[in-house]
């Protein structure tokens, strides 16, 4: 049994979100104040999956943008790696592509990952 679910940047080990930019600190403040009930719910989801026997991948997109043009690619972000990504959003379709890839051809297990739109030089083949 496998679960692939959308979570959010800034949850649990990913706090503060996007530490490489001021928008991340602003979003972190929002998570702890005006959208704290959503933060609590997402944290509970992550906790429930972590303590279950299910295989799971939690997807933490930096920002789902309905106006972002899909590029049929995505980039996984390590918050401790350098250089930090300049991209702060990802198309909904590209996030869905990652999720479908993890359902039908899984490469990750029992983890949470942050994804962003890849730099323009990267293509779908460089996922």
């Amino acid at each position: 049994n496998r679960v692939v679910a959308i979570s959010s940047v800034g949850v649990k080990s990913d706090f503060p979100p996007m530490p490489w930019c001021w928008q991340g600190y602003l979003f972190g403040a929002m998570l702890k104040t005006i959208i704290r009930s959503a933060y609590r719910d997402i944290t509970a989801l992550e906790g429930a999956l972590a303590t279950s026997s299910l295989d799971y991948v939690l997807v933490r997109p930096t920002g789902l943008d309905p106006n972002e043009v899909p590029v049929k690619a995505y980039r996984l972000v390590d918050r401790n790696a350098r250089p930090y990504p300049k991209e702060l959003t990802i198309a909904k379709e590209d996030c869905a592509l990652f999720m479908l890839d993890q359902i039908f051809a899984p490469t990750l297990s029992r983890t949470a990952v942050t994804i962003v739109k890849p730099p323009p030089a990267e293509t779908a083949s460089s996922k």
Side-chain angles (χ1 to χ4, degrees):
N1 297 339
R2 184 165 176 80
V3 175
V4 178
I6 289 189
S7 181
S8 173
V9 293
V11 175
K12 294 193 171 237
S13 63
D14 197 41
F15 195 88
M18 302 178 296
W20 58 87
C21 64
W22 66 267
Q23 293 95 330
Y25 289 97
L26 177 62
F27 186 63
M30 291 171 57
L31 285 173
K32 297 292 186 168
T33 57
I34 60 176
I35 56 175
R36 68 178 166 260
S37 65
Y39 178 77
R40 224 179 0 256
D41 292 344
I42 292 172
T43 300
L45 165 72
E46 289 203 7
L49 286 172
T51 59
S52 77
S53 61
L54 294 171
D55 184 16
Y56 66 88
V57 175
L58 292 159
V59 184
R60 296 172 173 165
T62 52
L64 290 175
D65 186 347
N67 299 314
E68 188 76 48
V69 176
V71 295
K72 296 187 171 103
Y74 47 80
R75 176 180 173 198
L76 276 66
V77 177
D78 177 351
R79 67 184 285 113
N80 299 313
R82 303 292 189 282
Y84 287 131
K86 292 182 177 151
E87 297 72 21
L88 298 179
T89 60
I90 186 168
K92 289 180 178 184
E93 295 88 345
D94 294 333
C95 182
L97 174 66
F98 172 75
M99 295 175 77
L100 289 169
D101 284 349
Q102 288 304 305
I103 291 169
F104 295 112
T107 58
L108 302 168
S109 179
R110 297 191 59 82
T111 191
V113 294
T114 301
I115 63 171
V116 298
K117 178 173 96 174
E122 292 183 21
T123 64
S125 64
S126 64
K127 294 184 250 180

